[in-house]
């Protein structure tokens, strides 16, 4: 691509890509503003710049979509980010709640050779420490079939495979509860009043709110 992108422009592409995985239609400026914690007017200005660079397609009242080149760029940034998160957790012993901001800085390094060597060094991981899929070098993404823990029936065992909320505060909360990727969970009671859940995590009992359960992606264990 002839025009070098700023970090801010790359962050916008990544945000639109993230939102587009949950929506089939155009992404609204309000949704992008909320994702990036900025003003809708600032989003509108940036979208115009990205459209001029042919990285997004935008029509008023119809939202924003990534162009083919825009998606390619966004996927590359996401790939870098998630590989760096794996490196920081697996090789430098950072906790999963510490790596997002560090990976935000590292993801902008523009070296295909470095990315491919990092991927090889890590053993070609398919998912980052939060359970999110890592695009391969061709931009293909393997999506797991998952459900929210809040949708799992009583006494059905499931395995934690991802989180919807990857904020540091939420991940620290999960650490306190002993909940992480790969843990086995069974719901043993659902409270009618506030829909809180009593669960077994690897056979240890604890209580969580419905909000927490909605932010945990799991895969049911078939018996």
């Amino acid at each position: 691509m002839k025009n070098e992108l700023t970090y801010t422009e790359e962050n916008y592409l990544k945000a639109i890509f993230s939102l587009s995985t949950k929506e089939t239609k155009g992404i609204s400026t309000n949704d992008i503003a909320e994702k990036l914690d900025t003003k809708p007017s600032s989003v509108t200005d940036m979208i115009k710049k990205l459209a001029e660079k042919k990285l997004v397609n935008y029509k008023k009242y119809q939202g924003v979509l990534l162009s083919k080149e825009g998606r390619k760029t966004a996927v590359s940034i996401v790939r870098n980010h998630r590989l760096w998160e794996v490196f920081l957790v697996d090789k430098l012993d950072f906790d999963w709640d510490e790596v997002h901001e560090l990976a935000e800085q590292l993801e902008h390094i523009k070296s295909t050779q470095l990315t491919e060597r990092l991927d090889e060094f890590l053993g070609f991981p398919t998912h980052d420490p939060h359970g999110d899929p890592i695009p391969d070098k061709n931009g293909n993404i393997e999506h797991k079939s998952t459900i929210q823990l809040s949708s799992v029936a009583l006494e059905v065992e499931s395995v934690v495979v991802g989180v919807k909320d990857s904020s540091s505060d939420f991940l620290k909360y999960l650490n306190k509860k002993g909940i992480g990727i790969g843990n086995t969970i069974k719901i043993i009671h659902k409270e009618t009043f506030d829909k809180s859940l009593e669960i077994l995590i690897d056979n240890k009992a604890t209580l969580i709110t419905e909000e927490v359960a909605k932010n945990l992606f799991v895969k049911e264990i078939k018996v």
Side-chain angles (χ1 to χ4, degrees), residues 4 33 99 131 192 209:
E4 279 293 318
V99 296
T192 304
T209 65

Side-chain angles (χ1 to χ4, degrees), residues 11 47 49 58 76 79 106 120 128 133 147 152 162 171 177 184 197 209 213 217 222:
N11 286 336
I47 293 306
K49 292 179 182 178
Y58 174 69
S76 175
R79 173 171 163 77
L106 293 165
E120 182 180 6
D128 72 11
I147 58 174
V152 177
L171 298 178
K177 288 288 186 179
T184 300
L197 307 175
T209 65
F217 291 124
K222 302 297 182 182

Side-chain angles (χ1 to χ4, degrees), residues 7 24 46 76 97 121 132 140 143-144 151 157 167 215-216:
Y7 287 4
T24 54
M46 178 57 73
S76 175
D97 59 277
F121 175 67
D132 292 318
N140 300 313
H143 290 287
K144 291 181 179 178
S151 300
E157 286 193 328
S167 67
N215 277 290
L216 287 171

Side-chain angles (χ1 to χ4, degrees), residues 23-190:
E23 293 283 345
T24 54
K25 55 185 180 180
I27 309 302
S28 73
T29 53
N30 286 335
D31 285 344
I32 298 170
E34 183 178 354
K35 177 79 172 175
L36 294 172
D37 193 22
T38 190
K39 298 177 182 178
S41 58
S42 299
V43 174
T44 300
D45 291 340
M46 178 57 73
I47 293 306
K48 289 178 181 177
K49 292 179 182 178
L50 294 174
E52 288 174 1
K53 293 185 177 184
K54 303 188 184 304
L55 295 170
V56 300
N57 298 312
Y58 174 69
K59 289 185 179 180
K60 201 170 183 179
Y61 307 120
Q62 294 183 29
V64 183
L65 291 171
L66 292 173
S67 67
K68 183 177 179 180
E69 187 62 35
R71 185 184 186 283
K72 180 181 177 181
T73 302
V75 169
S76 175
I77 299 165
V78 169
R79 173 171 163 77
N80 287 345
H81 182 99
R82 294 176 181 174
L83 283 172
W84 281 119
E85 285 193 335
V86 174
F87 174 77
L88 291 167
V89 170
D90 288 2
K91 303 302 180 182
L92 298 186
D93 295 327
F94 281 90
D95 286 332
W96 67 337
D97 59 277
E98 299 177 305
V99 296
H100 181 72
E101 289 187 8
L102 289 170
E104 285 275 309
Q105 300 171 51
L106 293 165
E107 70 186 22
H108 299 289
I109 298 173
K110 296 177 177 64
S111 171
T112 301
Q113 185 181 33
L114 175 61
T115 301
E116 299 318 314
R117 289 199 178 187
L118 179 63
D119 189 23
E120 182 180 6
F121 175 67
L122 295 172
F124 305 104
T126 58
H127 292 79
D128 72 11
H130 310 114
D132 292 318
I134 299 173
D136 67 19
K137 63 182 180 181
N138 297 315
N140 300 313
I141 303 175
E142 174 193 346
H143 290 287
K144 291 181 179 178
S145 177
T146 64
I147 58 174
Q148 293 168 306
L149 179 62
S150 55
S151 300
V152 177
L154 288 174
E155 299 298 328
V156 174
E157 286 193 328
S158 60
V159 176
V160 179
V161 294
V163 292
K164 183 177 180 182
D165 180 355
S166 58
S167 67
S168 178
D169 286 342
F170 183 62
L171 298 178
K172 286 178 180 176
Y173 171 84
L174 293 182
N175 285 342
K176 290 179 181 178
K177 288 288 186 179
I179 301 173
I181 303 298
N183 283 136
T184 300
I185 290 184
K186 180 191 289 186
I187 301 172
I188 56 177
H189 179 70
K190 290 185 178 183

